Amino acid sequence: MLECLFVMSIPSAVASAAEVQTTEDGKFTYTCNYYDETATIHEYLGEETVVTFPSEVDGCKVTAISNINTSGVKCVIADPSMKEKITKIVIPDTVKVIADGAFRDLTALETVKMPSKIEEVGGFVFFNCSSLKKISFPSTLKKFSGSYMTGLFGDCTELEEVSFAKNTKITEIPANTFRGCTSLKKVTLPNKIKRINKCAFYECNELQTINFPNTLEVLEEYAFKNCFKLTNIKIGSKITELGKSAFANTGIKKVTIPKNVILKGNVFYGCANLKSAVISKGVSMGRGEFEDCVKLEKVTIKSGVTGISNEVFKGTALKTVVIPNTVKYIGSDAFKDCSKLVKVFILGDDVRMGGFTAGTKVRLYGYKNSTVQTYAKQVGVRFKALTTVKSLKAKNSAKGKVKLTWKKVSGVKTYTIYRSTSKNGTYKKIGTTKKLSFTDKKAKKGKTYYYRIVIDYEDSTGVKLTGVKSSSVKIKVKK
């Protein structure tokens, strides 16, 4: 699997020019900095299955655990045979730094007592500790260090629960941190997390729910891909980016994408249980965002979305879609293989069209003489004109006043009047009425205006349509 490779980097070992010494009991090697009276433990030489690290050696407080060998990501357990025997590690509260790979490949390790004042934990520290079941971090933790691609708990296949104290200071979860933790069920994320990096929870098969703090801004590619049991997510309002395939092949059932989020492609690809989605104002979609979400029946696209990219809804179970007038383009194959799709209402009159196939059951609803109608005719797709206000007329009723009249539209209770100084310019709302006429009392004498009436209504099957506009009418105000 190339998308989430583990990369073993040169470790962030705690450097020391001091002479390596051995404790009196012969169990640990260490170096001391006698200037500030601190020490680093480098190796465990003993044979006990429960390893308790000392808090002090040679009058120096132990503040770090780091293999002195910087030629690779090395475990601090010297005897390779002990990696299959050690079941518990106790780290004193004096330790602030645990460097890269310190306890990696301890396959029998079940319990770790983390120090209460830990500040930094390196990459691959617990990598492949396949018997570890539970671990917690105190509020003093400031960062997970190591290279970008390091996996702190990668392939800890029995790990079930990870918790962080409420005020833990770390702001990001590094790449591959929990990749392959196939038993992970519960994670309580710190409340200051801003970024979850690539493949952080990749293939956490048992993970069912996760709390995204309101501080989260970026969720990188493949972050939760193949988390098949992940059903409940709530994406906070500060999120700005969801990376490629971030939730692909998960079990989520519904999702609301907040305003102005950038989707990087295939974000929800293959989510077989996803039934509904809300795409908020300003969301930018990449290719295939909901492709092969075979149960996706309902999607709400909010006004302010400007485009629907290629293959976005390919292979879904959508039946009816309303596309707001802010959408300027529909990409190729956007609705390909949507065998249940029968109605698509397109409320823009100048949309660059694509995405539909001749011979399907779908009918496009759009404005008469719009690009939608032209496209439908070219491709061979059914078309029906939207219901709009008809017979809109404007006349001068008095100096500086324009009276508008129109015919009633069945089911419409309120009519909203818009005005512009040019036919294809910006139309501004000037009033609403429940009548079939409206007088513009603020028109300027001698000026030319264009008016249109906008309505909201339900079609015969109960589909709600908003912002359906009439053709414009032109008039010059009498002086």
Side-chain angles (χ1 to χ4, degrees):
M1 185 65 65
L2 297 177
E3 56 197 19
C4 292
L5 290 175
F6 287 117
V7 177
M8 302 291 186
S9 63
I10 294 176
S12 55
V14 178
S16 175
E19 180 184 354
V20 177
Q21 303 178 66
T22 304
T23 56
E24 291 182 1
D25 60 10
K27 293 181 180 179
F28 298 93
T29 64
Y30 66 94
T31 54
C32 276
N33 183 332
Y34 293 103
Y35 177 79
D36 61 9
E37 297 183 329
T38 60
T40 299
I41 299 295
H42 296 300
E43 284 187 305
Y44 172 68
L45 307 174
E47 297 181 350
E48 290 92 346
T49 58
V50 176
V51 180
T52 301
F53 285 78
S55 60
E56 183 179 306
V57 290
D58 200 16
C60 295
K61 182 170 64 175
V62 174
T63 58
I65 298 172
S66 173
N67 194 305
I68 201 168
N69 187 338
T70 58
S71 63
V73 181
K74 297 295 182 69
C75 179
V76 298
I77 307 304
D79 184 352
S81 68
M82 290 302 298
K83 292 183 178 181
E84 299 177 357
K85 299 175 183 178
I86 293 173
T87 59
K88 183 177 181 180
I89 288 177
V90 179
I91 307 170
D93 291 338
T94 56
V95 171
K96 295 182 178 181
V97 178
I98 303 173
D100 291 2
F103 306 115
R104 61 166 299 175
D105 298 322
L106 302 186
T107 55
L109 182 64
E110 297 178 356
T111 305
V112 178
K113 179 192 174 296
M114 292 296 293
S116 62
K117 297 180 181 179
I118 190 71
E119 295 180 1
E120 180 180 339
V121 179
F124 294 100
V125 169
F126 298 104
F127 179 79
N128 195 35
C129 291
S130 54
S131 297
L132 184 64
K133 295 183 180 297
K134 184 178 180 181
I135 196 165
S136 60
F137 293 95
S139 61
T140 54
L141 182 65
K142 294 180 179 179
K143 68 175 181 176
F144 290 135
S145 58
S147 79
Y148 173 76
M149 293 300 292
T150 55
L152 176 59
F153 293 99
D155 291 346
C156 290
T157 54
E158 294 297 319
L159 185 64
E160 295 181 357
E161 184 175 343
V162 178
S163 61
F164 296 85
K166 185 176 181 180
N167 294 317
T168 302
K169 296 176 179 62
I170 62 170
T171 59
E172 67 178 279
I173 304 295
N176 290 306
T177 294
F178 300 101
R179 181 200 158 176
C181 293
T182 53
S183 299
L184 187 63
K185 296 179 180 178
K186 183 178 180 182
V187 178
T188 303
L189 292 176
N191 58 8
K192 295 181 180 179
I193 288 291
K194 292 183 178 181
R195 189 181 194 97
I196 297 177
N197 287 320
K198 180 178 179 179
C199 302
F201 292 88
Y202 185 86
E203 292 187 343
C204 291
N205 299 338
E206 293 295 321
L207 187 64
Q208 296 181 16
T209 185
I210 190 158
N211 65 307
F212 291 128
N214 290 329
T215 54
L216 185 64
E217 296 174 0
V218 176
L219 196 65
E220 284 198 355
E221 58 190 346
Y222 313 116
F224 291 90
K225 185 177 180 181
N226 294 347
C227 294
F228 302 117
K229 293 186 179 181
L230 181 61
T231 57
N232 299 310
I233 62 168
K234 184 177 180 181
I235 304 172
S237 60
K238 290 188 178 180
I239 195 79
T240 60
E241 180 181 314
L242 295 178
K244 181 180 179 181
S245 300
F247 293 104
N249 299 326
T250 59
I252 60 174
K253 297 179 180 179
K254 61 181 181 178
V255 65
T256 296
I257 305 168
K259 293 180 181 179
N260 302 318
V261 175
I262 298 172
L263 306 183
K264 305 292 280 188
N266 297 116
V267 171
F268 301 98
Y269 178 93
C271 291
N273 295 318
L274 184 61
K275 291 186 176 181
S276 67
V278 177
I279 303 170
S280 300
K281 178 181 178 180
V283 170
S284 173
M285 289 182 277
R287 189 184 193 100
E289 301 297 4
F290 296 93
E291 184 178 349
D292 286 347
C293 293
V294 293
K295 292 183 180 179
L296 182 61
E297 297 178 343
K298 182 180 180 182
V299 62
T300 302
I301 304 172
K302 297 286 190 178
S303 179
V305 174
T306 59
I308 298 173
S309 296
N310 298 351
E311 301 176 357
V312 165
F313 299 110
K314 181 181 177 181
T316 61
L318 293 172
K319 298 177 181 178
T320 300
V321 179
V322 178
I323 299 176
N325 60 14
T326 54
V327 170
K328 301 303 180 185
Y329 68 91
I330 299 173
S332 64
D333 295 333
F335 294 92
K336 185 178 181 180
D337 298 332
C338 295
S339 60
K340 296 181 180 180
L341 188 62
V342 292
K343 289 185 176 184
V344 179
F345 296 87
I346 303 172
L347 304 184
D349 55 3
D350 187 20
V351 182
R352 179 160 51 87
M353 293 292 296
F356 300 94
T357 306
T360 58
K361 296 184 291 184
V362 68
R363 183 186 296 275
L364 304 184
Y365 292 74
Y367 293 108
K368 188 177 180 180
N369 299 322
S370 66
T371 56
V372 180
Q373 183 174 8
T374 301
Y375 171 81
K377 184 177 181 180
Q378 289 174 345
V379 177
V381 175
R382 296 176 179 88
F383 175 84
K384 186 174 181 180
L386 290 165
T387 298
T388 61
V389 166
K390 298 290 194 302
S391 301
L392 175 61
K393 296 178 181 178
K395 68 177 183 178
N396 286 285
S397 61
K399 290 183 179 180
K401 294 182 181 180
V402 175
K403 184 176 182 180
L404 304 172
T405 59
W406 57 89
K407 287 187 176 180
K408 179 179 176 61
V409 179
S410 178
V412 175
K413 296 180 179 180
T414 302
Y415 301 86
T416 305
I417 297 85
Y418 284 79
R419 186 183 73 186
S420 177
T421 55
S422 62
K423 184 175 182 179
N424 297 316
T426 300
Y427 284 76
K428 294 182 179 181
K429 177 180 174 181
I430 61 170
T432 60
T433 182
K434 293 184 178 180
K435 299 179 180 179
L436 300 179
S437 64
F438 179 85
T439 300
D440 180 7
K441 299 178 181 179
K442 295 183 179 181
K444 293 182 179 181
K445 298 175 183 178
K447 198 157 188 174
T448 298
Y449 291 106
Y450 295 80
Y451 294 89
R452 62 175 41 153
I453 311 299
V454 175
I455 56 175
D456 302 340
Y457 66 93
E458 291 186 7
D459 86 328
S460 58
T461 60
V463 178
K464 293 181 180 181
L465 302 175
T466 59
V468 180
K469 63 188 180 183
S470 68
S471 298
S472 60
V473 64
K474 176 183 175 182
I475 189 171
K476 184 175 181 179
V477 184
K478 282 184 178 180
K479 292 184 180 181

